C-alpha cells in the first residue's frame, strides 16, 4: 500500500470485503456505496479472489484469520479515511435525492460533486469535519437547513447561476429572500448582506466574522442566526426588523446592540452568554423579556427597561454580574423567579403602584444584594 495515494486507487477494480463498525461511516452502507462509486466491488465473504479487507471496530475474528491465512491485506478505517481525503467523491448521475444522514460524520469526505440529477438534499452532510467545498447544480430545489451543520472546514458554497431557488452570495447560500447558510469557515471578517432579503439565519458557529451589516427590508432574524459566532463584535439591525428569534445572538462577542422599535418581545436566550455586551438599547414598544434572554451577559452595566414592558420572565438577567442598578417600569405586571439573580444589584427603583416590596421579591426575583430601594 505504500505507493497508493487515494482510496479510489486502492479499490478501483478490486474485490473488497467490509467488516465491523465504523466511526467515520455511521451507516456502513455509505462506505460500501463510496467503494462502488470508486470502482470497487463489495463482497460479503473472504476468498482467494478478495483483494482487501477494510476493517472497523469489532471486525469479525474469523475474517481476520482468513485474511492472515490467505495473505490478504487488511486496511483499517483510519487508513482508508486518510486515503479518501485525496479523492473527490463524484455522486453518479442517476441519483435524485441525497437522503438524511447519507454522509453524516463521513470524516473522509473533503470534496463532493453533486450531479444535475439531484433535486433534493436532506440533512445529508452534517458533521463532515473535513468537507471544504460544495457546488450545487441548477437542479437542486430543496435543501434541509441543517445539511451542512458542524462542517467546521467548509469555506464556501457555490450554486449554479441558473438554479431557480438557491443562489450564492460570496460563499453564503441564499434561498430566495432568505439568508440560508453561511459556512462555518467562510474566511471573511465583514459581511455586507445584499438588498432584497427579508430573513437572516444560518451564520451559527462562524469563527471569522467580526461585523455584519443587515440591510433595510429584513423583517426577521432567525432562530440561532448568529449563535456561537464567537468573534462577532458588531451587528447593525435596521428599523424594518420586527422579530428576533431565540438564541439569535447567543454566545457572540457583540459589545452593544440597539433593538429596533418594531420588536415587542426579546425571546428566550436571545443574548445568552454575550460576555462582552456592555450596553443594550431596548425599544419603547417592548412588552416582554423572556426567560434567560440576557443570562450570563456578565459585562452588562447599563440597562433602561422601557415603560411598555409588562413581563420579565425567570432568569431574564441571571448572572449579569456587572449590573448594579435597575429601574422597574410602571407597566410591569409580572416579575419572574430569579429574573435578576446573581446580578449583584445594589439599588432598585420601582413605582409606588408596584406590588409591595418584600423579602419574597428580594429573595426569589434576585435582588438579594440590593441595599437601596427607591420608589417613584
Amino acid at each position: 500500500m505504500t505507493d497508493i495515494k487515494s482510496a479510489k486507487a486502492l479499490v478501483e477494480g478490486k474485490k473488497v470485503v467490509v467488516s465491523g463498525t465504523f466511526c467515520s461511516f455511521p451507516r456502513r452502507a455509505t462506505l460500501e456505496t463510496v467503494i462502488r462509486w470508486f470502482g470497487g466491488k463489495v463482497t460479503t465473504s473472504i476468498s482467494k479472489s478478495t483483494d482487501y479487507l477494510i476493517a472497523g471496530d469489532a471486525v469479525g475474528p474469523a475474517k481476520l484469520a482468513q485474511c492472515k491465512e490467505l495473505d490478504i491485506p487488511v486496511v483499517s478505517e483510519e487508513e482508508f479515511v486518510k486515503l479518501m481525503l485525496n479523492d473527490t467523491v463524484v455522486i453518479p448521475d442517476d441519483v435524485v435525492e441525497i437522503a438524511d444522514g447519507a454522509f453524516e460524520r463521513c470524516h473522509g469526505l473533503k470534496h463532493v460533486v453533486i450531479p444535475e440529477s439531484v433535486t433534493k438534499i436532506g440533512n445529508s452532510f452534517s458533521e463532515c469535519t473535513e468537507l471544504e467545498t460544495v457546488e450545487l447544480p441548477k437542479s437542486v430545489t430543496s435543501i434541509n437547513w441543517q445539511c451542512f451543520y458542524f462542517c467546521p472546514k467548509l469555506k464556501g458554497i457555490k450554486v449554479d447561476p441558473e438554479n431557480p431557488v438557491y443562489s450564492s452570495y460570496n460563499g453564503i447560500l441564499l434561498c430566495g429572500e432568505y439568508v440560508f447558510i453561511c459556512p462555518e469557515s467562510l474566511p471573511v471578517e465583514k459581511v455586507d448582506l445584499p438588498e432584497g432579503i427579508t430573513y437572516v439565519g444560518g451564520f451559527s458557529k462562524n469563527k471569522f466574522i467580526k461585523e455584519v451589516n443587515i440591510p433595510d427590508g429584513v423583517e426577521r432574524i432567525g432562530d440561532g442566526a448568529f449563535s456561537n459566532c464567537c468573534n462577532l463584535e458588531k451587528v447593525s439591525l435596521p428599523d424594518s426588523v420586527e422579530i428576533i428569534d431565540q438564541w439569535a445572538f447567543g454566545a457572540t462577542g457583540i459589545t452593544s446592540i440597539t433593538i429596533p422599535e418594531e420588536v415587542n418581545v426579546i425571546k428566550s436566550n436571545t443574548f445568552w452568554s454575550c460576555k462582552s455586551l456592555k450596553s443594550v438599547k431596548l425599544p419603547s414598544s417592548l412588552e416582554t423579556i423572556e426567560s434567560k434572554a440576557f443570562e450570563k451577559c456578565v459585562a452588562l452595566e447599563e440597562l433602561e427597561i422601557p415603560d411598555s414592558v409588562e413581563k420579565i420572565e425567570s432568569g431574564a438577567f441571571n448572572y449579569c454580574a456587572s449590573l448594579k442598578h435597575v429601574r422597574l417600569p410602571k407597566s410591569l405586571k409580572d416579575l419572574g423567579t430569579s429574573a435578576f439573580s446573581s446580578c449583584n444589584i445594589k439599588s432598585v427603583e420601582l413605582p409606588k403602584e408596584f406590588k409591595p416590596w418584600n423579602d419574597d421579591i428580594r429573595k426569589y426575583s434576585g435582588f438579594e444584594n440590593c441595599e437601596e430601594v427607591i420608589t417613584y
Side-chain angles (χ1 to χ4, degrees), residues 226-287:
F226 296 96
S227 64
N228 294 291
C229 291
C230 56
N231 289 310
L232 179 62
E233 299 173 352
K234 184 178 180 182
V235 175
S236 61
L237 297 176
D239 292 338
S240 56
V241 171
E242 299 175 1
I243 298 173
I244 303 175
D245 284 317
Q246 59 184 0
W247 294 101
F249 297 98
T252 59
I254 58 173
T255 56
S256 65
I257 193 80
T258 298
I259 310 297
E261 283 296 318
E262 295 299 318
V263 176
N264 54 35
V265 177
I266 306 296
K267 297 192 176 182
S268 298
N269 299 288
T270 299
F271 298 97
W272 179 85
S273 198
C274 289
K275 295 182 179 180
S276 298
L277 184 62
K278 289 186 176 181
S279 64
V280 176
K281 185 176 181 181
L282 299 174
S284 59
S285 59
L286 190 65
E287 297 174 1

Side-chain angles (χ1 to χ4, degrees), residues 165-177:
V165 177
Y166 298 97
S167 60
S168 179
Y169 175 78
N170 296 334
I172 298 171
L173 182 64
L174 307 181
C175 177
E177 297 177 350

Side-chain angles (χ1 to χ4, degrees), residues 49-62:
S49 63
T50 301
D51 292 291
Y52 293 105
L53 169 67
I54 298 180
D57 291 333
V59 59

Side-chain angles (χ1 to χ4, degrees), residues 115-231:
E116 290 198 358
S117 57
V118 172
T119 60
K120 184 177 181 180
I121 302 175
N123 182 7
S124 314
F125 298 95
S126 60
E127 298 186 61
C128 288
T129 54
E130 300 297 323
L131 184 63
E132 292 185 357
T133 60
V134 172
E135 295 190 20
L136 301 176
K138 61 184 179 183
S139 57
V140 175
T141 55
S142 176
I143 300 175
N144 184 296
W145 70 275
Q146 289 184 310
C147 179
F148 303 109
Y149 179 77
F150 197 67
C151 294
K153 292 187 179 180
L154 185 59
K155 297 177 180 178
I157 301 172
K158 295 182 180 180
V159 183
D160 188 308
E162 295 184 22
N163 189 298
V165 177
Y166 298 97
S167 60
S168 179
Y169 175 78
N170 296 334
I172 298 171
L173 182 64
L174 307 181
C175 177
E177 297 177 350
Y178 283 31
V179 175
F180 200 56
I181 299 173
C182 175
E184 291 182 36
S185 289
L186 184 73
V188 295
E189 292 188 358
K190 182 179 179 182
V191 173
D192 295 309
L193 292 175
E195 300 288 337
I197 60 174
T198 60
Y199 177 98
V200 175
F203 282 84
S204 179
K205 291 186 172 67
N206 183 283
K207 57 189 176 184
F208 293 99
I209 295 174
K210 294 183 177 180
E211 180 178 351
V212 176
N213 292 317
I214 299 173
D216 191 39
V218 170
E219 299 171 358
R220 187 166 192 159
I221 309 299
D223 190 350
F226 296 96
S227 64
N228 294 291
C229 291
C230 56
N231 289 310

Side-chain angles (χ1 to χ4, degrees), residues 17-20 22 44-47 50 52-77 79:
V17 173
V18 174
S19 181
F22 297 85
T44 57
S45 58
I46 301 291
S47 68
T50 301
Y52 293 105
L53 169 67
I54 298 180
D57 291 333
V59 59
K63 284 187 168 62
L64 287 176
Q66 286 179 291
C67 287
K68 185 175 181 180
E69 180 182 344
L70 298 172
D71 198 25
I72 294 170
V74 177
V75 180
S76 70
E77 175 184 10
E79 289 172 320

Side-chain angles (χ1 to χ4, degrees), residues 4-44:
I4 296 175
K5 303 298 184 184
S6 73
K8 179 177 174 63
L10 177 76
V11 303
E12 190 171 27
K14 307 294 185 181
K15 289 184 179 180
V16 181
V17 173
V18 174
S19 181
T21 59
F22 297 85
C23 176
S24 296
F25 302 91
R27 297 169 61 183
R28 199 169 84 176
T30 301
L31 172 57
E32 294 174 353
T33 297
V34 168
I35 290 171
R36 293 188 186 98
W37 289 351
F38 284 163
K41 182 179 180 180
V42 179
T43 60
T44 57

